[in-house]
Amino acid sequence: MKRPIKKVAVIGSGIMGSGIACHFANIGVEVLLLDIIPRELNALEQSKGLSLNDKIVRNRLVNDSLKAALKSKPSPIYNQKFASRISTGNLDDDLSKINDVDWVIEVVIERLDIKKSVFEKIEKYRKPGTLITSNTSGIPIKYMNEGRSEDFQKHFAVTHFFNPPRYLKLFEVIPGPNCSQEVTDFLMVYGEKYLGKTSVLAKDTPAFIGNRVGIFGIMSLFHQVKELGLTVEEVDKLTGPVIGRPKSATFRTVDVVGLDTLVHVANGIFENCPKDEAHELFKLPSFINTMMENKWLGSKTNQGFYKKIVEGGKKSILGLDLNTLEYRPGKKAKFATLELTKTVDKVIDRFKILVKGKDKAGEFYRKNFAAMFGYVQNRIPEISDELYRLDDAMKAGFGWEHGPYQIWDAIGIEKGIELMQAENITVANWVTEMVASGHKSFYTVCDGAKYYYDIPSKTQKKIPGQESFIILDNIREAKTIWSNAGASIQHLGDGVLNVEFQSKMNTLGGEVLQAINKGIDLAETEYDAVILGNQAANFSVGANLAMAFMMAVEQEYDELNFSVKYFQDTVMRLRYSSCPTIIAPHGYTFGGACEMSMHADKVIAAAETYIGLVEFGVGIIPGGAGSKEMALRASEGLLKDDVKLNKLRDYFINVAMAKVATSAHEAYDLGFFKNHKDLVVVNKDRQIATAKRHAIQMLEDGYTQPVPKEVLVYGQQALGMFLVGTDSLEKGHYASEHDKKIANKLGYVMAGGDLSEPTKVSEKYLLDLEREAFMSLMTERKTLERIEHMLKTGKPLRN
């Protein structure tokens, strides 16, 4: 059944409601956001002589909530312009408008009586067939839709977003007892395809999947931390990026989310899951009760497990001593076991090392993983019939790189059993039977598809829905046709090649450039098209800065010049090869990676792409054709000269301020993407498959090699504009002397040099100017200081 979603209504404008409204606006859906009316006037309204009948007062709560959401950081919306897709109102005056929507999402307070009251009102105005879902995190559905009509119940489910809705990918779908299969199927597909989520089908059990397993992990850790004598800093060191978890790890995450939120869910599980074998673990430890009494709830109360203080103008972070419950100066955490993993780039390869550790860290990991394995083995079939859904939920909802069953596979099933037995945890019968029958892992990969162990049939079954994706982990081994130490090339079928960066942080060094050129060579001779695509956390942080720094320090200028020329030539090949070239950026796409994006025939960007020419931060200008390209883009089109000069000035400012788009949609505004050719996909997992489809379409449409372009540059007219601007910035103390020097070099390139009148020049002419400016800056002591500081600290230096 075709079910277009043109308009949704979101009932409840709190943090979650406003966030959900913004995310639907992100994908182009019209949103009606409603909330209750205020019961009394505030001081400002009283001073203006307003009454409770005035519309501005009646919509105050919803408007204030939405305004606060739009100002929050990180932003819930891809581009502030998209906020115009959201209209607001209140439940007394505007609820009848839901008759015009395709989907009503309830996001009110977690109280059954209030939810039932809202549903009763909704049913008065909702047209038959309209989807109705609740964002509850655990109230049983059978209680919520009690007494509702047959049509209401047929179209009712829980759609549980995780906060913040834009960034966390988990979308739990829990159908009501009478929900039609068609509605369930629709919600699963819509979440993945349109909202960009990982849709996870869950059962109507307390806390569903993500929170049930995730809160267990945190509560288990709360009970372990004192037993092992670990500090909050040590736990966060052990449970952060080293094991593929967010930087905020455990205690910092609780501070950000709010201790009260965690306690609410933990109490719900404790009260509603009396038969859970880990029931006692959900009972709050005494230090958590004390923190709740003291209102030490985290960021919202300015203190939780950590407390930020300012003394003498200096900021510092204190940590909570869990024994004395007093704040003390932060402690650095260091473990010998973690040192052993420093040279292991892939997180999945670290787990075997971590559980063998001889220190406190090793003991922590053995206990922690044993507890998690013991818990997840018993949640099937209680919360899900399929084990892969538990992994999907933890990765998408809690930001884990690998789910519990994937970690168990990485350690080894039998080793995992050994860890459990050492902690006196009973191994589930199905796990014992699985090992006895010869199955060595929970997951296998075969013919480019991933399979999971299905407990009822005792066989490996294909994970459904993979047809929409190209997952490089699943095809890399079978489809790689060429590789070096920094990259590999896979044949995706139909003559389309994919160049995958595999260097540290996907930096663009010589090996990656060699792979890009090899991919284009192959596509021009034996195959048909090239994609630059990877599925790492970030697309690329840019050129290999350390290598350029070493060449400059050792004054190997000829070699450095050759390297910059090679980079420029590679970038230009992306534009002027005889085969289609498509790039699929996501996450951090900085410097040279941005330059590549601007030169490929087409960009298929993930919505969460943070892209920019950031070279100014290290004292140089974009030297991989980026400075040239911004001048070219400003000169394109049939615009008048004054309009083109304004555009040129705006692009100059964007580069000089090292502006980074905070979403792919912002990249259009900054000039990094083009509206008529570049595409944004909301689900990163679909990127490479979408890129392949577009490559094939370009070939079918008769792709021909582009003709080299001429660039209109304005010479002294533009240069004067730039020099006046940089001079005033220095005089106003907004820019240092070195900032001014870098900006003037950039201005010289983007103006096309010191030409006396507007002139059309070749791209090569501008590339030579760009490289010359780049090389001159690399001889500057202050530039080298900036680069060294960035390499050491990861932060820019202003000198």
Side-chain angles (χ1 to χ4, degrees):
M1 178 183 173
K2 194 171 181 182
R3 185 184 282 277
I5 301 295
K6 297 175 184 175
K7 188 172 183 179
V8 302
V10 178
I11 313 295
S13 66
I15 291 171
M16 277 303 294
S18 291
I20 291 168
C22 285
H23 195 54
F24 273 92
N26 281 337
I27 65 168
V29 175
E30 195 180 339
V31 183
L32 173 65
L33 180 63
L34 303 177
D35 212 323
I36 58 174
I37 59 172
R39 291 177 181 167
E40 56 188 31
L41 297 172
N42 61 26
L44 181 63
E45 289 162 346
Q46 287 175 354
S47 70
K48 288 183 175 180
L50 298 171
S51 77
L52 289 172
N53 294 321
D54 287 304
K55 188 175 180 182
I56 193 170
V57 175
R58 294 172 78 78
N59 288 351
R60 186 224 311 154
L61 296 179
V62 66
N63 288 334
D64 285 356
S65 294
L66 180 58
K67 197 180 294 180
L70 292 169
K71 283 183 179 176
S72 66
K73 290 185 179 179
S75 175
I77 205 151
Y78 292 151
N79 191 310
Q80 289 293 325
K81 292 184 290 191
F82 295 173
S84 63
R85 297 168 181 167
I86 305 172
S87 58
T88 57
N90 65 75
L91 290 171
D92 286 38
D93 304 329
D94 303 296
L95 193 58
S96 61
K97 292 177 182 176
I98 68 168
N99 185 256
D100 188 35
V101 307
D102 307 298
W103 184 351
V104 180
I105 305 173
E106 169 272 308
V107 201
V108 303
I109 192 168
E110 287 286 87
R111 269 181 49 186
L112 180 60
D113 58 332
I114 293 176
K115 286 184 185 291
K116 290 188 76 168
S117 169
V118 168
F119 293 141
E120 188 176 346
K121 291 174 185 174
I122 286 171
E123 188 148 36
K124 289 178 185 174
Y125 300 107
R126 164 192 172 271
K127 67 175 181 280
T130 303
L131 294 173
I132 171 77
T133 66
S134 171
N135 186 63
T136 182
S137 57
I139 294 177
I141 299 177
K142 62 185 177 185
Y143 298 139
M144 286 193 289
N145 69 3
E146 204 172 44
R148 303 275 62 83
S149 68
E150 183 183 341
D151 186 80
F152 186 107
Q153 294 195 16
K154 183 181 173 184
H155 295 89
F156 183 74
V158 165
T159 48
H160 185 213
F161 291 80
F162 270 54
N163 192 33
R166 169 182 164 180
Y167 298 96
L168 286 181
K169 288 190 67 178
L170 183 54
F171 182 69
E172 290 180 313
V173 175
I174 306 93
N178 301 313
C179 182
S180 78
Q181 189 61 46
E182 177 265 322
V183 167
T184 303
D185 294 343
F186 172 83
L187 292 170
M188 291 289 289
V189 171
Y190 193 90
E192 179 270 310
K193 188 173 183 179
Y194 296 97
L195 292 169
K197 302 297 181 188
T198 298
S199 297
V200 173
L201 186 66
K203 294 185 177 183
D204 190 11
T205 55
F208 309 132
I209 296 177
N211 278 335
R212 181 75 175 274
V213 176
I215 300 300
F216 163 80
I218 294 171
M219 295 302 295
S220 171
L221 200 149
F222 281 171
H223 289 279
Q224 284 176 15
V225 66
K226 280 197 171 184
E227 178 191 340
L228 293 173
L230 292 166
T231 66
V232 291
E233 292 91 346
E234 285 175 329
V235 170
D236 279 354
K237 182 81 172 177
L238 294 170
T239 58
V242 70
I243 58 170
R245 310 275 170 86
K247 281 183 184 175
S248 53
T250 300
F251 289 113
R252 283 190 192 279
T253 297
V254 174
D255 274 357
V256 171
V257 172
L259 184 63
D260 52 340
T261 302
L262 171 86
V263 165
H264 172 75
V265 181
N267 283 338
I269 298 171
F270 182 78
E271 290 163 13
N272 295 306
C273 301
K275 294 181 180 177
D276 189 314
E277 78 283 357
H279 184 249
E280 289 304 302
L281 275 180
F282 290 99
K283 190 181 284 184
L284 302 176
S286 59
F287 69 88
I288 297 292
N289 284 320
T290 303
M291 290 176 71
M292 288 292 289
E293 288 166 13
N294 293 346
K295 297 281 191 288
W296 295 349
L297 307 180
S299 303
K300 65 178 82 173
T301 58
N302 297 316
Q303 64 187 106
F305 291 105
Y306 295 94
K307 182 179 182 180
K308 190 183 287 185
I309 61 166
V310 180
E311 285 182 346
K314 283 191 173 182
K315 290 180 184 176
S316 61
I317 306 247
L318 306 180
L320 183 66
D321 186 312
L322 298 180
N323 292 311
T324 64
L325 289 185
E326 292 178 353
Y327 290 96
R328 38 99 187 127
K331 292 182 178 180
K332 286 251 177 179
K334 196 170 182 181
F335 296 97
T337 294
L338 298 191
E339 296 298 311
L340 298 174
T341 65
K342 279 195 169 175
T343 57
V344 182
D345 288 338
K346 287 188 175 178
V347 171
I348 198 74
D349 296 331
R350 296 175 190 160
F351 294 110
K352 272 188 177 176
I353 300 168
L354 295 173
V355 295
K356 289 177 183 172
K358 305 276 194 251
D359 57 1
K360 201 187 288 185
E363 186 183 358
F364 169 81
Y365 285 123
R366 287 188 290 275
K367 284 180 174 290
N368 193 269
F369 291 139
M372 180 57 74
F373 299 159
Y375 195 68
V376 296
Q377 67 172 358
N378 292 330
R379 301 287 70 77
I380 299 171
E382 182 197 351
I383 64 174
S384 173
D385 292 325
E386 300 88 8
L387 61 85
Y388 72 87
R389 298 194 194 277
L390 274 68
D391 282 354
D392 283 352
M394 296 315 299
K395 290 189 290 182
F398 284 78
W400 293 14
E401 195 169 321
H402 305 287
Y405 284 107
Q406 289 175 309
I407 295 170
W408 197 342
D409 263 353
I411 290 171
I413 293 186
E414 292 185 349
K415 179 64 178 176
I417 290 173
E418 186 185 309
L419 296 182
M420 290 160 63
Q421 289 171 335
E423 296 297 320
N424 297 315
I425 297 170
T426 304
V427 180
N429 289 335
W430 71 265
V431 176
T432 308
E433 289 170 5
M434 174 185 164
V435 173
S437 65
H439 290 277
K440 299 294 182 188
S441 61
F442 296 108
Y443 294 103
T444 54
V445 173
C446 182
D447 296 328
K450 196 168 187 179
Y451 291 73
Y452 72 99
Y453 180 75
D454 178 61
I455 298 165
S457 68
K458 299 181 183 178
T459 61
Q460 291 279 338
K461 278 191 176 180
K462 189 176 179 181
I463 297 174
Q466 295 178 71
E467 299 74 21
S468 305
F469 310 132
I470 292 174
I471 307 297
L472 296 178
D473 280 349
N474 296 351
I475 67 167
R476 192 177 295 112
E477 194 173 323
K479 302 289 186 180
T480 296
I481 61 169
W482 184 94
S483 66
N484 62 20
S488 65
I489 302 173
Q490 301 98 20
H491 180 211
L492 304 180
D494 302 304
V496 180
L497 301 178
N498 181 68
V499 179
E500 180 186 15
F501 310 159
Q502 294 166 332
S503 54
K504 187 161 186 177
M505 298 182 77
N506 285 344
T507 50
L508 305 172
E511 288 162 334
V512 172
L513 298 180
Q514 181 192 14
I516 293 169
N517 281 288
K518 181 66 176 178
I520 294 173
D521 287 341
L522 288 168
E524 288 184 323
T525 54
E526 300 174 47
Y527 296 88
D528 298 307
V530 173
I531 297 168
L532 304 189
N534 65 68
Q535 290 165 334
N538 295 296
F539 182 74
S540 171
V541 295
N544 190 331
L545 197 58
M547 191 66 70
F549 176 71
M550 289 305 299
M551 288 182 197
V553 166
E554 293 172 12
Q555 298 185 8
E556 294 175 349
Y557 296 124
D558 287 342
E559 193 174 338
L560 180 57
N561 184 63
F562 174 80
S563 296
V564 178
K565 176 76 163 57
Y566 183 41
F567 199 106
Q568 288 181 331
D569 290 346
T570 302
V571 168
M572 293 304 287
R573 275 200 85 187
L574 288 168
R575 173 165 293 166
Y576 293 117
S577 61
S578 61
C579 63
T581 59
I582 296 183
I583 192 164
H586 60 270
Y588 295 162
T589 305
F590 295 157
C594 178
E595 291 170 309
M596 287 182 177
S597 296
M598 291 194 292
H599 285 79
D601 289 317
K602 185 179 277 289
V603 175
I604 306 292
E608 297 300 342
T609 299
Y610 318 118
I611 184 168
L613 297 169
V614 297
E615 288 83 353
F616 256 67
V618 289
I620 51 180
I621 70 165
S627 302
K628 176 275 304 178
E629 184 63 16
M630 295 314 282
L632 186 155
R633 292 191 174 200
S635 76
E636 288 180 317
L638 302 172
L639 304 171
K640 292 180 180 178
D641 283 354
D642 60 335
V643 178
K644 287 184 178 180
L645 276 166
N646 286 339
K647 201 173 176 185
L648 185 68
R649 180 199 61 212
D650 291 344
Y651 287 171
F652 170 82
I653 291 170
N654 291 346
V655 179
M657 293 181 69
K659 283 190 179 179
V660 174
T662 59
S663 74
H665 289 282
E666 276 192 8
Y668 291 111
D669 296 343
L670 296 178
F672 302 139
F673 295 162
K674 290 186 173 181
N675 282 308
H676 65 276
K677 76 176 185 74
D678 298 331
L679 182 73
V680 176
V681 293
V682 73
N683 192 328
K684 175 184 159 187
D685 295 338
R686 285 178 169 258
Q687 255 188 300
I688 295 178
T690 302
K692 179 185 173 184
R693 196 169 66 249
H694 278 265
I696 292 169
Q697 187 63 51
M698 290 165 76
L699 290 163
E700 288 180 356
D701 290 344
Y703 179 85
T704 54
Q705 184 169 331
V707 176
K709 299 177 180 182
E710 285 192 318
V711 187
L712 176 65
V713 293
Y714 288 87
Q716 291 175 2
Q717 187 180 356
L719 192 54
M721 174 178 70
F722 295 144
L723 294 178
V724 168
T726 59
D727 194 49
S728 63
L729 284 172
E730 186 195 21
K731 284 179 178 171
H733 304 292
Y734 295 108
S736 68
E737 185 183 350
H738 195 53
D739 291 331
K740 179 181 172 182
K741 180 178 282 190
I742 306 163
N744 287 346
K745 294 275 187 185
L746 173 68
Y748 189 82
V749 176
M750 291 183 69
D754 193 19
L755 300 172
S756 59
E757 60 182 25
T759 309
K760 285 190 174 181
V761 299
S762 67
E763 288 182 83
K764 182 184 180 304
Y765 169 85
L766 286 178
L767 288 169
D768 290 343
L769 285 184
E770 176 186 277
R771 192 168 68 257
E772 184 183 326
F774 181 92
M775 290 298 299
S776 70
L777 286 167
M778 287 298 287
T779 67
E780 295 277 348
R781 178 180 58 82
K782 287 191 174 180
T783 285
L784 296 182
E785 286 173 357
R786 289 188 180 198
I787 294 175
E788 185 176 29
H789 190 267
M790 177 62 76
L791 290 170
K792 282 183 177 176
T793 68
K795 296 175 182 176
L797 171 70
R798 292 295 300 277
N799 56 358

